[in-house]
Amino acid sequence: MNETIVCVVGNVATQPVYREAAGPSARFRLAVTTRYWDREKSAWTDGHTNFFTVWANRQLAVNVAACVEVGQPLVVQGRLKVRTEVREGQQQWASADIDAVAIGHDLARGTAAFQRAAKPEAALTAARPEPSWETPRPVGTPDEGAAQQAPEPAAVT
């Protein structure tokens, strides 16, 4: 409930790594560089670059593996998790991870063609024939079409 939700815009720094250990999972590094207007130079200047490890799960991971490549501009929304660790013989280091909820290409810097992904369940139901829900008639019962018809009314003269 008390999670830090972030939305970052940056460039893909590493090729996504896709795995299917306990369900589909993908991860990649995202470089986010601040830019500011330098009045003295009258030009845009790059500031500090932050690197985030972006984690995607389930269908999002499958879609990331299919269409995200190094250098592409992305918009990533998700839960920020900052980890600190001390390894033997090394200094303490910190890592900023984003557990992604949504990932998309930054359309301010290019175009993309959206293609809806097939749902895994849809493939299973399409392969199975539709069951027959009608109850078979008991043997010896007349058909509805062969039932007696009412006599036609007599012509009035």
Side-chain angles (χ1 to χ4, degrees):
M1 191 116 182
N2 293 329
E3 296 175 313
T4 304
I5 304 296
V6 295
C7 183
V8 294
V9 178
N11 293 317
V12 179
T14 62
Q15 187 65 32
V17 176
Y18 178 79
R19 302 235 160 107
E20 281 199 36
S25 175
R27 76 171 191 277
F28 61 91
R29 301 277 285 162
L30 188 73
V32 179
T33 303
T34 58
R35 290 181 56 82
Y36 63 93
W37 180 256
D38 190 341
R39 286 188 230 175
E40 294 174 6
K41 296 177 184 176
S42 294
W44 285 99
T45 305
D46 287 342
H48 179 73
T49 301
N50 291 309
F51 287 90
F52 297 94
T53 301
V54 178
W55 293 88
N57 296 303
R58 295 177 288 286
Q59 187 62 42
L60 182 58
V62 173
N63 295 343
V64 163
C67 66
V68 172
E69 296 176 4
V70 174
Q72 293 180 336
L74 295 183
V75 179
V76 176
Q77 181 183 12
R79 291 177 289 279
L80 178 65
K81 297 181 180 180
V82 178
R83 298 181 298 129
T84 57
E85 225 177 281
V86 177
R87 292 190 179 163
E88 191 174 320
Q90 295 180 355
Q91 291 183 349
Q92 180 177 357
W93 60 274
S95 172
D97 296 353
I98 298 174
D99 187 11
V101 173
I103 299 173
H105 288 99
D106 183 1
L107 297 182
R109 297 194 270 164
T111 62
F114 180 79
Q115 183 177 358
R116 189 169 299 277
K119 293 184 180 179
E121 307 88 47
L124 295 174
T125 56
R128 285 186 291 181
E130 183 66 27
S132 175
W133 296 107
E134 294 183 18
T135 309
R137 291 193 177 281
V139 179
T141 309
D143 287 342
E144 288 178 18
Q148 285 187 334
Q149 295 180 353
E152 290 185 25
V156 177
T157 55

